[in-house]
Amino acid sequence: MNFDGMISVEEARARILDVVRRLAPETKPIAQALGQVLAEDVVSPVTIPPLDNTAMDGYAVRAADTDGASPEDPRTLRVIGEVAAGYLFEREVTPGTAVRIMTGAPIPAGADAIVPFEETDEPPGRTFGAFAKGRTEVGVFKAAAPGANVRRAGEDVLRGSVVMREGTELRAAQIGVLASLGKESVSVYRRPVVAIIATGDELLDLGQPAVEGHIYDANSYSVAALVEEAGGIPRRLGIARDTVEELTAKIRAGLDADLLITSAGVSRGDYDVVKDVLLREGEVDFWTVRMKPGKPLAFGTFRAPDGRRVPHIGLPGNPVSAMVTFELFGRPALYKMTGRGGWERPTLRVTVEERVENTDGRRFLARAIVRERGGRYYASLTGPQGSGILTSMALANALVVCPEDVPALEPGDEAEAIMLGPVVGDG
Ligand code: AMP
Ligand code: MG
């Protein structure tokens, strides 16, 4: 056991990130890989678009044939056929001729520009098949520059090029790009399974009737949601009473996970059966981190039956502390395990609108609402800041940082806000 002195947020995070490891890659169908991170560079097997093609419905022409055209003095071209997306036009566009063409269709040989229907005498509202119905001439109202409305082969992707790098998080657009390359599956880092255990004799699980003096287990649920947001797969193992038997059984049940998270029972000083069991079952340090909410934190590893070392984060029990410590330590750990690069949130410089007191020399993370007014950002508190007041988190879109050595932020002072959600706008 190691009861350190107080350590900084940065030191605690560095120690955790030093122990957790990125997980091994797995192959996933792209439709199931949303939110996962590429474990390979993706090289394109195809060129996109595969051929020069038209960006508009209209006529494929030789640009030179349209020189000087205007509505008063149109150029009349002979229509020699039609082509739609998915088909090739086999003949050549020779001087004085044109081909009716639909968006996405390959540019016929000889043509070098597309004149949209809007710039011809063709009445609107006609679709594919007009040529078959006897449309054999077209009047062009406007000169087309060579290349007009032509999408070039390879302007999106060249065969053999690296389209996405290892480490890229797959969002909707990346999934779309993979599909456009014809890739059915892709190598991504495995999502960590995170076992979550709440501890405490006072806790009720959802569905149990309210009992005087008891409270519902909030942490299992808030932490599971945070795990999911961070790219992990939460596995709630429920509540362990503060007995050696129950705690031991729950912890052992969690050791097939990639990360074990417990909440409560890690405060320094007080006797707590949780600490006893953590120490007996694993190699765990109990830290006091120079932050508020969330001073007590446990971190260690447990030996799984299969020999793996499973990292463990012991969050404090107070519901706000549990969420804030997960934000500062758990989320970065999961980001590393999932193969992401940075874990930092965006920050803003804000003007605080009310006094933020910070009496005990720790970094105070005030739950705040950041609003934009006239191009500047302002922060107000979400109400009482006790570490048990979970509604203060629910209202917040930011954590305003009052540094360790600053006893108070006064109205009008500038501070840093760690943004948890979108800024509230002017309107
Ligand atoms: P402890 O760390 O066990 O001293 O708990 C600190 C505070 O957090 C106590 O008020 C607990 O009742 C509360 N608490 C512990 N676990 C939970 C939980 N899962 N959900 C809500 N509150 C909790
Ligand atoms: Mg407790």
Side-chain angles (χ1 to χ4, degrees), residues 7-17 20 223 226 230 261 287 289-297 299 313 315-316 320-336 342-347 362-367 393 398-402 404 416-420:
I7 61 175
S8 68
V9 169
E10 284 68 29
E11 180 167 3
R13 184 158 50 221
R15 288 194 198 176
I16 292 170
L17 291 178
V20 300
V223 171
L226 291 170
I261 294 184
W287 297 339
V289 185
R290 200 170 294 114
M291 64 183 283
K292 185 176 161 182
K295 178 167 70 172
L297 191 75
F299 179 69
I313 301 177
L315 303 175
V320 177
S321 309
M323 289 194 75
V324 171
T325 48
F326 182 92
E327 165 63 25
L328 296 191
F329 309 113
R331 201 173 58 81
L334 282 187
Y335 271 41
K336 182 167 181 190
W343 45 264
E344 291 85 354
R345 297 269 193 187
T347 60
R362 293 188 264 154
R363 185 177 309 175
F364 183 48
L365 298 147
R367 278 75 71 200
M393 274 305 277
L399 298 172
V400 167
V401 181
C402 184
E404 291 81 336
E416 180 186 60
I418 301 168
M419 297 308 297
L420 305 174

Side-chain angles (χ1 to χ4, degrees), residues 114-236:
I114 302 299
V115 178
F117 286 147
E118 294 80 346
E119 294 169 9
T120 72
D121 62 1
E122 177 159 337
R126 309 226 333 237
T127 52
F128 195 68
F131 177 72
K133 289 182 199 127
R135 172 119 197 141
T136 57
E137 280 192 345
V138 63
V140 174
F141 289 157
K142 202 171 160 194
N149 300 309
V150 174
R151 302 194 287 217
R152 292 289 170 205
E155 71 179 16
D156 190 357
V157 174
L158 288 175
R159 186 154 74 94
S161 64
V162 175
V163 181
M164 282 182 270
R165 296 269 175 207
E166 182 273 336
T168 303
E169 183 179 340
L170 299 180
R171 310 301 330 169
Q174 287 75 22
I175 303 271
V177 168
L178 289 169
S180 77
L181 305 180
K183 277 194 128 352
E184 286 183 276
S185 56
V186 74
S187 176
V188 288
Y189 296 111
R190 196 164 61 71
R191 293 173 67 190
V193 173
V194 182
I196 299 164
I197 302 168
T199 72
D201 285 342
E202 74 280 32
L203 300 179
L204 296 171
D205 207 346
L206 301 186
Q208 289 186 271
V211 176
E212 181 136 0
H214 285 51
I215 57 172
Y216 284 107
D217 164 23
N219 296 348
S220 289
Y221 290 87
S222 61
V223 171
L226 291 170
V227 163
E228 209 170 328
E229 283 182 359
I233 302 171
R235 194 183 312 135
R236 281 184 294 103

Side-chain angles (χ1 to χ4, degrees), residues 199-202 242 263-266 272 274 317:
T199 72
D201 285 342
E202 74 280 32
D242 290 323
S263 90
V266 293
D272 209 315
V274 178

Side-chain angles (χ1 to χ4, degrees), residues 21-377:
R21 295 278 169 264
R22 194 178 66 193
L23 300 186
E26 61 180 351
T27 300
K28 271 285 195 66
I30 64 164
Q32 292 165 29
L34 180 65
Q36 285 184 263
V37 175
L38 281 177
E40 59 176 349
D41 290 347
V42 172
V43 176
S44 180
V46 294
T47 288
I48 309 173
L51 297 170
D52 289 357
N53 69 94
T54 175
M56 301 280 284
D57 291 340
Y59 284 87
V61 301
R62 301 170 76 100
D65 284 349
T66 65
D67 281 351
S70 70
E72 297 71 38
D73 184 17
R75 296 286 171 273
T76 301
L77 300 173
R78 190 161 58 83
V79 181
I80 59 169
E82 256 180 328
V83 63
Y87 298 90
L88 289 172
F89 189 75
E90 304 289 353
R91 283 151 56 218
E92 192 176 336
V93 174
T94 52
T97 69
V99 169
R100 253 180 128 250
I101 192 165
M102 305 300 147
T103 302
I107 307 293
D112 63 355
I114 302 299
V115 178
F117 286 147
E118 294 80 346
E119 294 169 9
T120 72
D121 62 1
E122 177 159 337
R126 309 226 333 237
T127 52
F128 195 68
F131 177 72
K133 289 182 199 127
R135 172 119 197 141
T136 57
E137 280 192 345
V138 63
V140 174
F141 289 157
K142 202 171 160 194
N149 300 309
V150 174
R151 302 194 287 217
R152 292 289 170 205
E155 71 179 16
D156 190 357
V157 174
L158 288 175
R159 186 154 74 94
S161 64
V162 175
V163 181
M164 282 182 270
R165 296 269 175 207
E166 182 273 336
T168 303
E169 183 179 340
L170 299 180
R171 310 301 330 169
Q174 287 75 22
I175 303 271
V177 168
L178 289 169
S180 77
L181 305 180
K183 277 194 128 352
E184 286 183 276
S185 56
V186 74
S187 176
V188 288
Y189 296 111
R190 196 164 61 71
R191 293 173 67 190
V193 173
V194 182
I196 299 164
I197 302 168
T199 72
D201 285 342
E202 74 280 32
L203 300 179
L204 296 171
D205 207 346
L206 301 186
Q208 289 186 271
V211 176
E212 181 136 0
H214 285 51
I215 57 172
Y216 284 107
D217 164 23
N219 296 348
S220 289
Y221 290 87
S222 61
V223 171
L226 291 170
V227 163
E228 209 170 328
E229 283 182 359
I233 302 171
R235 194 183 312 135
R236 281 184 294 103
L237 299 185
I239 299 160
R241 312 275 140 221
D242 290 323
T243 67
V244 173
E245 297 69 32
E246 271 200 39
L247 279 163
T248 306
K250 284 271 192 241
I251 287 168
R252 289 184 184 171
L255 293 184
D256 56 353
D258 299 298
L259 173 68
L260 179 65
I261 294 184
T262 57
S263 90
V266 293
S267 294
R268 186 173 181 167
D270 342 320
Y271 170 78
D272 209 315
V273 67
V274 178
K275 279 191 285 198
D276 270 4
V277 175
L278 291 175
L279 285 168
R280 182 170 328 163
E281 293 290 304
E283 286 170 32
V284 179
D285 287 337
F286 294 88
W287 297 339
T288 53
V289 185
R290 200 170 294 114
M291 64 183 283
K292 185 176 161 182
K295 178 167 70 172
L297 191 75
F299 179 69
T301 57
F302 288 74
R303 180 74 75 183
D306 62 5
R308 287 175 311 121
R309 283 218 162 275
V310 181
H312 161 249
I313 301 177
L315 303 175
N318 278 307
V320 177
S321 309
M323 289 194 75
V324 171
T325 48
F326 182 92
E327 165 63 25
L328 296 191
F329 309 113
R331 201 173 58 81
L334 282 187
Y335 271 41
K336 182 167 181 190
M337 297 173 91
T338 54
R340 287 169 173 77
W343 45 264
E344 291 85 354
R345 297 269 193 187
T347 60
L348 288 175
R349 295 296 299 174
V350 298
T351 303
V352 300
E353 295 193 292
E354 55 191 293
R355 187 177 159 83
V356 181
E357 247 189 274
N358 185 26
T359 44
D360 44 10
R362 293 188 264 154
R363 185 177 309 175
F364 183 48
L365 298 147
R367 278 75 71 200
I369 302 169
V370 171
R371 292 187 181 80
E372 197 238 283
R373 275 200 308 272
R376 294 179 60 88
Y377 299 107

